[in-house]
Amino acid sequence: EMKLVESGGGLVQPGGSLRLSCAASGFSFNTHYMSWVRQAPGKGLESVAKIVLDGSEKFYVDSVRGRFTIFRDNSKNSLYLQMNSLAADDTAVYYCVREVFWRFDLWGRGTLVTVSS
Amino acid sequence: QSALTQPPSASGSPGQSVTISCTGTSNDFDYNYVSWYQQHPGKAPRVIIYEVTERPSGVPDRFSGSKSANTASLTVSGLQDEDEADYYCSSYAGGSSPVVFGGGTKLTVL
């Protein structure tokens, strides 16, 4: 069974940092682009970061560029999102997703990040 | 790249058809990488249409997609109770930006 499992979410103070992890299984991780998509409470979906197969190229939405870093470890079938300088509007469920030709065809269950003092 | 525009809500009775629109600029749909996602409350989204008209295996053929100029559309035919959910469109408009989503449409089955 193909699966993505996120971890690392939680409560963090404004200005703080958090690292999300995503463990992939059941498919060839190193042959797929990967992304993080977030959803603020009661709001829509936002694609925040994307990484190519070998990690050599990364793409970010403007609102997180310079604060978030996406990276991957193909030897561990894992995807990560390092989030720094967190603000209240970063509060969201963060989904690890597999991307195939600009469609997200496999989703994790998500991990909740809450930024609050 | 700005978010795509969807109506906040749509509704229909069981057995009826409903069409949800997704509007962007003239560049947003230059490529045929338009997808639609269904999300039930408390669940992760799942793709139901990709590349404008294609359905992943396991998605009923009641779901269909189309595109014209700067608008993409999702049609749900023969509405069923389990179709009640939020629906999101997305598109790739070229360049190095991530995929952009629409704001979502809440579909209610009356």
Side-chain angles (χ1 to χ4, degrees):
Chain A
E1 179 191 5
M2 299 183 295
K3 191 184 289 189
L4 298 169
V5 179
E6 303 93 338
S7 60
L11 176 63
V12 60
Q13 291 190 337
S17 298
L18 211 56
R19 178 178 293 185
L20 306 183
S21 300
C22 170
S25 59
F27 66 97
S28 297
F29 180 74
N30 61 359
T31 63
H32 288 84
Y33 286 20
M34 298 295 297
S35 292
W36 289 96
V37 173
R38 70 182 178 183
Q39 186 171 34
K43 302 296 184 181
L45 302 170
E46 181 181 40
S47 177
V48 296
K50 171 180 174 176
I51 189 167
V52 301
L53 304 182
D54 62 358
S56 61
E57 292 184 73
K58 306 170 185 182
F59 308 97
Y60 301 94
V61 70
D62 288 347
S63 60
V64 309
R65 189 175 293 115
R67 300 188 299 122
F68 289 12
T69 301
I70 186 172
F71 59 104
R72 64 194 296 166
D73 185 338
N74 287 343
S75 69
K76 296 182 178 179
N77 291 337
S78 293
L79 177 72
Y80 305 93
L81 186 67
Q82 177 66 42
M83 303 185 295
N84 298 330
S85 302
L86 284 161
D89 58 7
D90 294 316
T91 293
V93 173
Y94 285 74
Y95 294 101
C96 171
V97 292
R98 188 177 75 177
E99 185 171 331
V100 177
F101 289 107
W102 297 280
R103 74 177 179 272
F104 302 119
D105 73 334
L106 181 65
W107 295 67
R109 298 181 69 173
T111 187
L112 176 63
V113 172
T114 303
V115 183
S116 175
S117 54
Chain B
Q1 188 179 11
S2 301
L4 305 171
T5 300
Q6 297 180 235
S9 63
S11 63
S13 299
Q16 287 186 333
S17 294
V18 171
T19 296
I20 298 171
S21 63
C22 171
T23 303
T25 67
S26 58
N27 295 331
D28 286 329
F29 301 115
D30 280 354
Y31 299 83
N32 286 328
Y33 294 117
V34 178
S35 300
W36 289 89
Y37 300 84
Q38 178 191 60
Q39 185 180 33
H40 287 108
K43 301 291 188 180
R46 69 157 179 160
V47 61
I48 57 172
I49 295 289
Y50 67 96
E51 293 175 14
V52 182
T53 61
E54 301 300 308
R55 273 180 291 106
S57 60
V59 174
D61 60 6
R62 302 184 292 102
F63 294 91
S64 62
S66 63
K67 185 189 78 168
S68 176
N70 64 337
T71 299
S73 299
L74 171 72
T75 297
V76 186
S77 305
L79 271 175
Q80 298 184 7
D81 290 345
E82 59 262 35
D83 298 333
E84 185 161 294
D86 293 326
Y87 291 84
Y88 296 90
C89 63
S90 74
S91 181
Y92 167 69
S96 59
S97 296
V99 163
V100 69
F101 286 95
T105 297
K106 182 176 182 59
L107 175 59
T108 301
V109 181
L110 302 171

